[in-house]
Amino acid sequence: MSPSSELNFNDLLEASTRSAVHLEMRDVYGVGDESEDFERWQRTGERDADPGSAYWAPWVDLISRAAARGVQVRRARIVSEPVTDYIRYEHAGTDVNVHAGEQVRWLPRRQAVDLLVPGCDLWIFDGERVLFNHFTGAGDWSPPGLELRTDPAVVKQCVDAFEAVWARANPHRDYKIR
């Protein structure tokens, strides 16, 4: 998450008691801290997929603790096909997300044309709080970075959108990159 944001993603996840769901809809994200691993993957096709590595360990620890508390962590990705190099890179590391305790599904964009989804990626915590993620066109963080909304009508729209995507999406183990 954006280090400049006053909102703290970790605190929101740690406060969750039932669910944390993530809807991703971009085909490219800025690589930031991942740049070395992404460049190596582009050269060699090998991705850091060690849950204990310096890159993954904090995420694996955070998600594992949430799952151990009974929080259901789900991630749905809407992707264009053929996928971008960045999505291929994400796919190559997703087994670590699953290892940590996330359920991950993929939905080709062409299968989402009749779904109404929010304009930004987001996290929903316990069906009560939505954390919108703001990015530039190139996939870098854009001010304000994160925006927390608790308006019940907005939360319901986002929950409904996520559940519609989730119902249609393919489990990670079944999704083959095109």
Side-chain angles (χ1 to χ4, degrees):
M1 294 282 122
S2 173
S4 62
S5 175
E6 292 180 21
L7 295 171
N8 188 311
F9 169 82
N10 289 12
D11 290 345
L12 290 165
L13 184 59
E14 294 284 4
S16 296
T17 59
R18 298 181 313 278
S19 65
V21 302
H22 188 30
L23 181 58
E24 295 181 60
M25 300 175 285
R26 297 185 52 82
D27 289 319
V28 176
Y29 292 87
V31 293
D33 294 341
E34 304 172 46
S35 63
E36 186 176 310
D37 188 51
F38 183 64
E39 290 167 8
R40 185 182 82 223
W41 175 84
Q42 286 180 309
R43 284 191 319 276
T44 68
E46 295 176 9
R47 166 111 202 243
D48 177 359
D50 174 6
S53 72
Y55 173 75
W56 282 108
W59 184 255
V60 169
D61 182 56
L62 182 67
I63 297 302
S64 297
R65 284 195 321 270
R69 291 193 316 274
V71 175
Q72 184 181 44
V73 183
R74 297 183 292 160
R75 178 186 303 256
R77 292 175 169 146
I78 300 175
V79 295
S80 299
E81 292 180 325
V83 300
T84 62
D85 279 351
Y86 187 84
I87 295 301
R88 286 182 188 282
Y89 170 76
E90 272 194 336
H91 191 270
T94 299
D95 285 342
V96 179
N97 296 89
V98 173
H99 169 83
E102 291 185 52
Q103 298 173 55
V104 181
R105 292 189 181 180
W106 302 81
L107 182 63
R109 197 171 307 281
R110 71 180 182 287
Q111 294 175 14
V113 295
D114 60 337
L115 298 180
L116 299 178
V117 295
C120 297
D121 286 11
L122 56 83
W123 279 89
I124 306 167
F125 302 98
D126 290 334
E128 298 170 353
R129 297 172 305 284
V130 177
L131 185 66
F132 289 103
N133 296 200
H134 296 285
F135 297 102
T136 66
D140 298 313
W141 288 103
S142 175
L146 303 173
E147 178 184 352
L148 186 64
R149 302 285 295 272
T150 58
D151 174 3
V154 171
V155 173
K156 182 179 182 334
Q157 287 175 333
C158 293
V159 167
D160 291 349
F162 179 87
E163 293 302 334
V165 169
W166 188 258
R168 237 179 239 189
N170 303 296
H172 175 65
R173 72 181 173 282
D174 298 334
Y175 181 69
K176 306 301 180 225
I177 289 290
R178 294 179 189 228

